[in-house]
Amino acid sequence: MMETILLGTYTRNTSKGIYQITLNKKTERLENLKLIAETSNPTYIEYDQDTHKLYAVYQQGNRAGISIWDYEDGSTQLLETITQEGTPPCFVHYDPKRDESIDANYHMGQVNIYKNGEILQTLQYPEGAKAHFAHTHPRTGDLYTIDLGNDTVQKYRNHALIATYHAPKGSGPRHLVYHPTQDLIYVYTEHSNQLIVLEDGKTFKEIQIIDALDQDDEKSGAAIRITKDAKFIYVSNRGHDSLTVFSINDDFTVNKIQNISVYGKHPRDFNLSLDEDYVVVGNKDTNNLTLFKRDAQTGLLTYLNSDTRADEVVSVLFIEDAS
């Protein structure tokens, strides 16, 4: 009846680093918030269950990169940091098949691939680049990156570029998710709050573009999640401060079925519980977490509560019990 959540944060004000909190499904409450790693601006995090290693964005003075922690039984130990001069990345991913860590650096317009404690390769994008996502496909191992500044999605195989999708100019693609069984990806945009459905083959083929918000709504898209059964997609909207729910059709296009307030400001990230019965949203600007119940059949969300304090949250990660 319990699930563990890790929270990545900014540490600009009151937050101190990476936190852990528990979802109590019996009481439908979030409880026992505790600091597990004191570190500067660990804004994005990832956890590898097999090795009990936690990967996080890292910043120390004028150097930045990633940190790797041993995490077990609710406690952490810093194992190593890999840094370079410059601004910190905004996204971090670990590929267990290659034993490589990857980050995306928005301000430097680049993606770094790390292995054996050093930078293995840097993918430097052209002027105006704002790299915001870098993640390997769980089935194919291909690396997907997103350049929000130049409105492109790239696919790499064995570190070589093999396909590029050019999103509508100014849309600002930000994050994507993979269809679990089909050669499809779903991309969410920051500037236009649009969900883009792409056929993912030798080239990218645009299938659909659909708005998450109404035309006059404030636009600032953030996170995207897909359910394990590939029936629903969820996205978060900053500014509008809401989640939008899409159902996935038999032809893999989507329909918008719900928009619901997050009862806070700036939902930078959110995630589904491991059983996908709940959704937790981190509202960065109001320092609170919002809990929703999810209907597995309809995909619709029901608001439960939003009075759990958690400061400057920008990453929400449910994990298997690490004990």
Side-chain angles (χ1 to χ4, degrees):
M1 297 297 291
M2 302 283 194
E3 288 196 22
T4 299
I5 310 166
L6 301 183
L7 304 173
T9 72
Y10 278 115
T11 55
R12 295 168 175 171
N13 296 310
T14 52
S15 174
K16 300 296 183 183
I18 303 171
Y19 289 79
Q20 173 185 295
I21 197 167
T22 300
L23 168 59
N24 185 331
K25 289 180 280 190
K26 183 177 181 180
T27 62
E28 296 187 322
R29 300 287 307 179
L30 297 164
E31 55 191 34
N32 298 326
L33 178 72
K34 73 171 185 175
L35 179 67
I36 61 167
E38 187 165 351
T39 180
S40 177
N41 291 321
T43 53
Y44 210 86
I45 55 177
E46 182 154 286
Y47 178 66
D48 182 54
Q49 174 67 31
D50 291 337
T51 61
H52 292 179
K53 287 183 179 178
L54 175 62
Y55 298 79
V57 169
Y58 182 77
Q59 182 178 16
Q60 186 66 44
N62 66 346
R63 299 186 66 86
I66 65 170
S67 59
I68 304 172
W69 307 74
D70 180 71
Y71 168 78
E72 203 165 355
D73 296 327
S75 62
T76 61
Q77 179 181 353
L78 182 61
L79 300 176
E80 66 174 320
T81 62
I82 313 171
T83 64
Q84 62 179 343
E85 287 190 11
T87 57
C90 62
F91 190 92
V92 63
H93 168 61
Y94 174 68
D95 180 354
K97 294 179 181 177
R98 290 178 175 268
D99 190 26
E100 294 175 352
S101 308
I102 307 161
D103 69 25
N105 195 303
Y106 179 91
H107 294 288
M108 297 176 70
Q110 66 184 27
V111 167
N112 282 322
I113 302 170
Y114 305 88
K115 191 176 181 70
N116 298 327
E118 60 185 17
I119 298 175
L120 176 66
Q121 183 179 6
T122 297
L123 307 174
Q124 183 65 56
Y125 296 111
E127 184 178 353
K130 295 177 179 178
H132 216 301
F133 177 89
H135 196 285
T136 51
H137 197 293
R139 294 198 315 272
T140 68
D142 292 341
L143 171 65
Y144 293 71
T145 67
I146 295 181
D147 179 355
L148 184 151
N150 292 313
D151 302 308
T152 57
V153 178
Q154 302 88 8
K155 178 167 64 169
Y156 295 82
R157 184 166 296 158
N158 298 321
H159 301 167
L161 181 65
I162 60 171
T164 299
Y165 167 70
H166 295 275
K169 186 173 176 60
S171 61
R174 179 182 171 95
H175 281 189
L176 65 80
V177 291
Y178 314 103
H179 192 286
T181 61
Q182 304 296 315
D183 293 332
L184 295 155
I185 60 174
Y186 297 86
V187 182
Y188 196 48
T189 66
E190 177 172 322
H191 297 152
S192 62
N193 287 70
Q194 291 174 314
L195 182 61
I196 303 174
V197 184
L198 298 178
E199 186 178 297
D200 180 17
K202 290 184 178 180
T203 60
F204 292 115
K205 180 182 178 182
E206 188 178 287
I207 304 299
Q208 182 188 19
I209 299 180
I210 183 172
D211 292 329
L213 300 177
D214 294 336
Q215 184 175 351
D216 295 334
D217 290 334
E218 184 176 347
K219 304 291 197 301
S220 186
I224 179 171
R225 307 291 179 185
I226 188 171
T227 55
K228 297 171 187 174
D229 61 11
K231 292 184 177 180
F232 302 99
I233 287 175
Y234 300 79
V235 298
S236 63
N237 309 296
R238 298 167 298 177
H240 193 257
D241 296 327
S242 65
L243 297 184
T244 301
V245 186
F246 297 91
S247 61
I248 301 177
N249 301 314
D250 291 341
D251 65 357
F252 309 115
T253 60
V254 302
N255 296 324
K256 177 181 170 181
I257 60 172
Q258 185 183 28
N259 181 267
I260 187 169
S261 171
V262 296
Y263 298 87
K265 291 184 180 297
H266 203 96
R268 175 79 170 259
D269 198 21
F270 70 97
N271 222 323
L272 283 73
S273 59
L274 297 179
D275 60 13
E276 299 193 335
D277 287 341
Y278 297 88
V279 170
V280 172
V281 183
N283 299 304
K284 181 179 75 69
D285 290 356
T286 43
N287 298 317
N288 70 304
L289 301 176
T290 302
L291 179 63
F292 295 95
K293 188 71 176 287
R294 191 184 84 91
D295 187 309
Q297 299 303 312
T298 67
L300 299 178
L301 302 178
T302 300
Y303 169 75
L304 293 176
N305 55 72
S306 56
D307 57 351
T308 301
R309 173 94 186 208
D311 293 351
E312 303 178 83
V313 172
V314 290
S315 181
V316 178
L317 180 66
F318 281 84
I319 66 166
E320 299 283 355
D321 187 358
S323 60

